Amino acid sequence: MPTFQAADGVEIYWEQWDSDSDLPPVLLHHGFIANGLANWVLPGIVDALTATGRRVITIDARGHGRSGKPHDPSLYGETRMAQDVSTLLDRLGIEQVDVAGYSMGAVVALVLATRDPRLRRLVIGGVGSAVVELGGVDTRVIPAEAFREAFHTEDPATITHPAAAGFRAFVDAVGGDRAALAAQAAALHATPLPLDTVAIPTLLIAGRDDVLATRPELLAKAIPNARLAVIDGDHLGAVRVPAFTEELVSFLNTH
């Protein structure tokens, strides 16, 4: 099982599909609760990229999938996750990379784009105005107390907040570690990002019915070289809409 040890000792799982393309590899970073398999493999996005000859890398963020799952919030946050990506790129000797991130992974990708000069193109999805206004995913949709209830209650039937109930159902469906996910929820990035420094070509994909990606045009305008594509779908469904894959592959395959 391909893993590496992060700077703070957490084991990080990753996976790779090789190719012979002259374009750089594509690194895909999943959203909160998900993992590389659920976010990128099962919806067919990895297959669509490899079919065009691209080398693809997925990573399971700390606390998710097959990576280590500490329960200490100080070991979480999108900045730490971005550092994990940079560490993986170092270990693989990658000098240039395209990055796509969804939801939490979009915030990770944006943090990475402000710090790592190896990025050539960037795709972000599942986020909107909150990245500009709050510095990360839209925590206005689910209050912190509702998040705590969703992760800590033993009986999900007692969860009263509809969006929180949906997140809990997702956790249970993927067999997530609720204590680890609660630690990440307590450490979500919530400080301003220097979006004006992200000069690389960027594509923002937002589902029309995604309550976590409202007013995406505000985020697109904050990134100097960004284009917005609005597609059908809500937060959990947009990655399975064919237009999501079509937009992503077409954009990343541009020289």
Side-chain angles (χ1 to χ4, degrees):
M1 193 170 81
T3 64
F4 67 93
Q5 193 170 79
D8 55 11
V10 178
E11 287 290 322
I12 305 296
Y13 174 85
W14 60 281
E15 197 163 355
Q16 179 173 235
W17 293 260
D18 279 323
S19 81
D20 54 3
S21 173
D22 61 344
L23 288 171
V26 179
L27 185 137
L28 305 172
H29 199 294
H30 63 81
F32 185 49
I33 302 172
N35 50 53
L37 176 67
N39 211 147
W40 305 112
V41 177
L42 295 181
I45 297 167
V46 168
D47 282 347
L49 285 165
T50 57
T52 66
R54 298 300 295 271
R55 175 187 178 191
V56 179
I57 302 162
T58 60
I59 186 170
D60 283 359
R62 51 182 60 216
H64 297 72
R66 285 178 274 189
S67 288
K69 299 175 179 65
H71 294 170
D72 181 354
S74 71
L75 294 175
Y76 285 94
E78 289 88 336
T79 297
R80 281 186 180 270
M81 292 175 179
Q83 181 56 55
D84 293 340
V85 174
S86 290
T87 299
L88 178 57
L89 297 178
D90 291 344
R91 288 176 176 266
L92 295 177
I94 292 173
E95 296 179 356
Q96 190 177 55
V97 65
D98 289 346
V99 173
Y102 193 77
S103 191
M104 175 190 77
V107 180
V108 174
L110 284 167
V111 172
L112 192 68
T114 67
R115 294 168 174 236
D116 197 315
R118 289 173 286 191
L119 276 66
R120 183 192 73 115
R121 283 185 166 251
L122 177 67
V123 178
I124 49 177
V127 288
S129 62
V131 175
V132 178
E133 296 166 340
L134 304 177
V137 296
D138 201 338
T139 51
R140 296 168 297 199
V141 175
I142 306 178
E145 182 53 43
F147 252 136
R148 283 192 290 272
E149 180 188 25
F151 290 127
H152 293 301
T153 184
E154 292 302 321
D155 182 5
T158 64
I159 300 171
T160 56
H161 194 285
F167 272 94
R168 172 58 183 269
F170 189 22
V171 173
D172 292 343
V174 301
D177 182 318
R178 288 188 281 122
L181 294 169
Q184 167 59 18
L188 292 172
H189 196 280
T191 55
L193 284 166
L195 299 173
D196 58 332
T197 67
V198 181
I200 58 175
T202 300
L203 172 65
L204 168 59
I205 308 175
R208 192 170 282 108
D209 300 316
D210 187 350
V211 296
L212 289 167
T214 57
R215 292 177 292 129
E217 63 279 357
L218 186 67
L219 176 56
K221 288 177 182 176
I223 301 171
N225 197 11
R227 177 173 73 80
L228 170 63
V230 178
I231 64 171
D232 291 335
D234 58 15
H235 193 69
L236 295 180
V239 294
R240 296 190 294 273
V241 174
F244 186 96
T245 301
E246 292 163 6
E247 289 279 359
L248 181 148
V249 172
S250 174
F251 180 78
L252 293 184
N253 281 350
T254 302
H255 283 268

